[in-house]
Amino acid sequence: MENKVLIINTGGTIGMVGKPLRPATNWLEIAKEHPVLEKFPTDYYQFEHLIDSSDATPEFWIKLVEVIEENYDKYLGFVILHGTDTMAYTGSLLSFLLKNLAKPVVLTGAQTPMIFPRSDGLQNLINSIYIAGNKLYDIPVVPEVCICFRDCLLRANRSKKTDSNNYYGFSSPNYNPLAEIGADIKIIKDRILPIPTEKFYVEKIINPNVLLIELFPGLNPNYIRDFVINNPEIKALILKTYGSGNTPTSVEFIDMLKEISNKNIPILDITQCVSGSVKMPLYESTDKLVKLGIINGSDITSEAGITKMMYLLGKGYDIERIRKEFSVSISGEQFA
Ligand code: ASP
C-alpha cells in the first residue's frame, strides 16, 4: 500500500475552473491555482463525465463504489469531490455498500469553486486529505464514510445539507460530529465506529424503486393510494410524518395505509422534524401505525432512510427482513 490518498473527482462546484465556470479537465488544472496542493501525497481519479450532483443516479453510485473497490488496497484513504446537493445521499448509500470499511472515505465539496479567492473549497479539501491520510498526519483512522465541510467532520449517513449558502452547509442533528477541526484535528474516538476485523468487500445492489411523501394537513390520502397502487414498480413507501411519527388518524388515511400494506409494500415512518425521532406507539396515531405494521424509522435522516431502503430492496429482502433491518443500525445511521 502506498502512503497516499486517492482523490476521486465526481464533479460539483468545488472543481470548477475557468470563466465561465466549467468542470476542470484534470487535477493540474485545479491544483495550479493552489500550488499548496502539490505538496500533498495524492493521486487523482476523475470521472469521465463530471456531474452536477443533482444528476446522481444508481449507476453513478455503482461506478463510485467500483472505483473505491479497485483502489481500496492501494491507498490510506479516499477523498471524494462531490456536489453538495446530494452528498448526504451518496455518503449514506456508500456507508451501506462498503462493507467492513477500515479506511476513511471522506466526501467533500464547496459552496463556491476553489478558484474563487473566498472559496471554502481549499480548506475543505485540505482538511479532507488530512483525515483520509490519517497516519501521515498523526490522525487516528476514521473507518467511516464521512462528510468534511467547514471544520466539521460528520458521519455521512447522519448528515444533511441544511444551508445552500453558508459555509457551514451541513449538519448532523442527531449525532455529534466525529471530530473537532480547529488548529488541531481531534478525532472523538468514542463517536467513531470500531475498525472492522473482517475483510473489506463491496455490495453493488440498489433498487431505487422507492417513493417518499411528506405529509401536510389537507393531503388527500387518495393521491397516495392511487400513486402507489397504480405504479406496481414502487416497492416501498417512505412517509415523512409529523413530530414523533404521527399521521392523520382518519379512517380514510388509515384505510389507505392498510391497502398499501396489504400489498406487502413496506411503509417506513420517518419524522419531518430536523432532529429527534419517531416514537411508536406514543400517541393514538402511532398506535394505529404499529398495528398496521408500519416500520419505525427511529431517528434516521430521510437521506439515509431512502438509501437504506434502496439497499435492502436491492438485497431482495422481504418485508419482515426489511422491518428487522430498520430496528438495527447497519453503519451507525440510526439509534437502535
Ligand atoms: N449543484 C451543485 C451540485 O450539487 C452544487 C454544489 O456543487 O455544491 O453538484
Side-chain angles (χ1 to χ4, degrees):
M1 180 174 71
E2 287 194 75
N3 278 335
K4 278 185 171 183
V5 168
L6 182 64
I7 298 176
I8 304 169
N9 187 2
T10 68
T13 299
I14 188 167
M16 298 249 171
V17 295
K19 234 183 193 172
L21 287 170
R22 60 169 173 80
T25 44
N26 56 48
W27 175 242
L28 283 181
E29 221 184 343
I30 300 174
K32 81 172 189 313
E33 300 285 341
H34 299 289
V36 64
L37 288 175
E38 286 160 27
K39 294 189 182 149
F40 294 102
T42 56
D43 284 337
Y44 180 73
Y45 177 95
Q46 179 163 308
F47 269 48
E48 201 178 329
H49 301 293
L50 295 175
I51 60 161
D52 183 302
S53 77
S54 39
D55 283 323
T57 58
E59 294 71 38
F60 162 80
W61 285 327
I62 297 293
K63 171 76 190 154
L64 185 51
V65 167
E66 283 173 348
V67 174
I68 296 172
E69 180 182 35
E70 278 157 29
N71 291 286
Y72 187 76
D73 292 332
K74 299 186 207 145
Y75 293 94
L76 291 170
F78 301 86
V79 172
I80 301 174
L81 305 185
H82 194 289
T84 53
D85 289 345
T86 62
M87 191 183 286
Y89 292 89
T90 297
S92 297
L93 186 73
L94 290 186
S95 79
F96 303 126
L97 297 185
L98 304 176
K99 296 297 189 199
N100 301 325
L101 181 65
K103 300 183 178 190
V105 172
V106 189
L107 288 137
T108 196
Q111 298 283 35
T112 54
M114 275 208 293
I115 54 156
F116 287 8
R118 284 189 55 254
S119 172
D120 51 334
L122 185 63
Q123 189 189 351
N124 289 349
L125 174 55
I126 293 176
N127 281 338
S128 301
I129 294 172
Y130 268 68
I131 288 153
N134 55 85
K135 70 174 188 189
L136 297 173
Y137 309 106
D138 228 2
I139 292 174
V141 176
V142 180
E144 296 207 22
V145 183
C146 33
I147 290 183
C148 182
F149 214 80
R150 196 59 175 191
D151 301 342
C152 298
L153 186 71
L154 308 174
R155 178 171 293 162
N157 59 30
R158 291 291 197 150
S159 306
K160 298 186 91 60
K161 181 175 178 179
T162 41
D163 202 306
S164 61
N165 180 58
N166 195 293
Y167 284 167
Y168 290 92
F170 285 83
S171 49
S172 168
N174 280 333
Y175 198 76
N176 284 325
L178 305 181
E180 284 165 15
I181 305 181
D184 298 319
I185 297 182
K186 192 170 161 246
I187 305 296
I188 321 267
K189 286 199 186 152
D190 57 3
R191 291 188 195 151
I192 61 175
L193 295 171
I195 297 182
T197 48
E198 302 290 307
K199 200 172 157 26
F200 172 79
Y201 66 98
V202 305
E203 293 191 307
K204 302 178 195 171
I205 33 162
I206 311 168
N207 182 341
N209 294 328
V210 307
L211 176 70
L212 176 132
I213 292 179
E214 179 152 356
L215 301 187
F216 54 90
L219 172 62
N220 185 338
N222 291 333
Y223 296 168
I224 308 179
R225 173 194 289 106
D226 291 352
F227 202 85
V228 175
I229 303 293
N230 292 332
N231 289 285
E233 64 277 16
I234 294 175
K235 297 294 178 244
L237 173 65
I238 299 166
L239 288 181
K240 276 189 96 169
T241 58
Y242 307 124
S244 317
N246 301 312
T247 67
T249 52
S250 67
V251 175
E252 294 74 25
F253 197 89
I254 297 299
D255 279 353
M256 173 274 291
L257 292 182
K258 214 180 275 171
E259 205 175 313
I260 294 175
S261 212
N262 286 344
K263 296 215 168 298
N264 266 336
I265 295 175
I267 305 177
L268 176 68
D269 183 348
I270 60 178
T271 176
Q272 52 187 249
C273 290
V274 175
S275 61
S277 150
V278 166
K279 294 189 185 105
M280 284 181 167
L282 181 61
Y283 297 99
E284 192 192 345
S285 153
T286 37
D287 190 42
K288 287 190 175 171
L289 303 182
V290 173
K291 289 183 180 129
L292 283 178
I294 307 300
I295 302 170
N296 182 340
S298 182
D299 62 351
I300 204 163
T301 61
S302 47
E303 293 85 342
I306 288 169
T307 51
K308 183 170 176 174
M309 188 63 90
M310 289 178 175
Y311 165 67
L312 298 175
L313 290 171
K315 288 197 67 100
Y317 289 160
D318 65 12
I319 188 162
E320 277 321 312
R321 181 66 192 265
I322 290 174
R323 176 173 296 109
K324 194 159 160 252
E325 295 294 333
F326 272 103
S327 69
V328 295
S329 157
I330 295 177
S331 51
E333 73 281 3
Q334 65 178 81
F335 177 81

